[in-house]
Amino acid sequence: MNMVTAPSISLEGKSLWLIQSLPVSGWQVLKGKLSLHFLITAPPAFLCTLVLSIVLKAEAAVAVLLLLFSVLFVLLCAALGLMINLKLPNLNWTNETVAVKQSASVLVSMLANWGILFLLFLGYYFLGLRLGQSLFLLLCVLLCAAAAAGALLWLKHKGQRILAQL
């Protein structure tokens, strides 16, 4: 639910030319935005997952897979939010609240994250009960890692070109 990257390009607004004129690549700018999202949201997600694993007395393998999944999901959400904001930027706002609370990129990012979680829930309901917790979590970790890697590659190649054209 923490949408740090989803409005991050839009928040540059009319000052976007400043980051475009810096002597850094577009990928470095995007990595900075991803790093901030990760720094803000990964520690609480990691801590909550750790506490959940302790309270539920999860097996060691399940606990490790849960922790890995939570970190990868944070990375996926960060990359997805940035991708969507590059495609749906709102650079003509008069108040920062519009860019953060009323932008299409934040809404689409939030719905996309919920959609991913809903698909994982359906996957567990139809497939995970048969596979078992460990195997299903491993599958989720692999899918999340692949999706995050694909999103990061998109940002590195196509995303920085879109940023330069805004």
Side-chain angles (χ1 to χ4, degrees):
M1 290 300 298
N2 289 331
M3 299 292 153
V4 177
T5 54
S8 65
I9 301 294
S10 295
L11 282 172
E12 301 294 339
K14 294 179 177 116
S15 301
L16 185 63
W17 67 274
L18 288 172
I19 63 169
Q20 291 173 332
S21 65
L22 291 173
V24 296
S25 69
W27 173 236
Q28 287 175 308
V29 171
L30 297 175
K31 268 195 327 189
K33 292 180 181 299
L34 289 169
S35 297
L36 178 65
H37 179 100
F38 198 75
L39 184 70
I40 291 172
T41 57
F46 188 83
L47 182 65
C48 289
T49 305
L50 185 63
V51 169
L52 179 72
S53 297
I54 292 169
V55 169
L56 295 178
K57 297 176 182 148
E59 299 173 9
V62 171
V64 168
L65 287 170
L66 278 172
L67 291 168
L68 191 57
F69 175 77
S70 68
V71 170
L72 285 170
F73 188 73
V74 166
L75 182 62
L76 176 61
C77 291
L80 193 60
L82 201 50
M83 287 171 64
I84 293 169
N85 196 217
L86 283 168
K87 288 298 209 174
L88 299 171
N90 179 6
L91 302 172
N92 298 317
W93 45 265
T94 54
N95 186 347
E96 291 89 356
T97 306
V98 173
V100 175
K101 301 280 186 190
Q102 299 174 355
S103 88
S105 63
V106 173
L107 177 65
V108 172
S109 295
M110 190 169 43
L111 292 174
N113 293 341
W114 288 352
I116 292 168
L117 291 174
F118 183 70
L119 289 174
L120 290 175
F121 166 75
L122 287 178
Y124 184 72
Y125 184 75
F126 290 112
L127 184 64
L129 294 174
R130 292 183 189 104
L131 292 177
Q133 287 179 341
S134 299
L135 193 56
F136 183 75
L137 274 172
L138 179 62
L139 181 64
C140 289
V141 165
L142 293 174
L143 286 172
C144 198
L152 291 172
L153 281 173
W154 186 92
L155 285 170
K156 185 173 184 177
H157 297 291
K158 198 167 183 179
Q160 67 178 330
R161 281 186 286 203
I162 294 171
L163 180 65
Q165 294 171 354
L166 290 176

